Amino acid sequence: PVAPEQLDIASVLPAMQALDVEALLHCLAGLEPRAQTVVQLSFYRDKSAHEIAAALETTPGNVRVLRHRAVAQLRDCMEAA
């Protein structure tokens, strides 16, 4: 995982999708480190819950819960931005 500001988000999004990248980076930075790792591995590195669980020494179910909560937190943060 890398720091949120080092992610090249704009290059992996469709050009026609409008997104406030600065707001997203701000919201990512607001996540706890473990949640940031799960989000980055899930969506930036395209890792499965099983792969992430092995890397974090936890269960795939816990990874899914962490990811669900992190996405909800990101959604709330982006809607508030």
Side-chain angles (χ1 to χ4, degrees):
V2 298
E5 61 273 3
Q6 294 177 328
L7 293 174
D8 186 13
I9 294 171
S11 71
V12 296
L13 294 174
M16 59 187 167
Q17 183 178 4
L19 178 69
D20 185 346
V21 174
E22 285 187 39
L24 179 57
L25 292 176
H26 170 77
C27 292
L28 279 169
L31 295 175
E32 64 179 40
R34 192 168 176 95
Q36 285 181 16
T37 299
V38 169
V39 168
Q40 289 179 20
L41 292 175
S42 295
F43 300 109
Y44 193 69
R45 299 284 184 204
D46 201 28
K47 300 292 182 186
S48 71
H50 289 282
E51 292 170 312
I52 297 168
L56 297 180
E57 298 179 347
T58 189
T59 64
N62 188 41
V63 168
R64 288 187 286 273
V65 168
L66 287 167
R67 182 173 47 221
H68 176 79
R69 291 178 180 166
V71 168
Q73 186 177 344
L74 288 172
R75 183 182 312 111
D76 292 345
C77 181
M78 291 296 291
E79 288 174 356

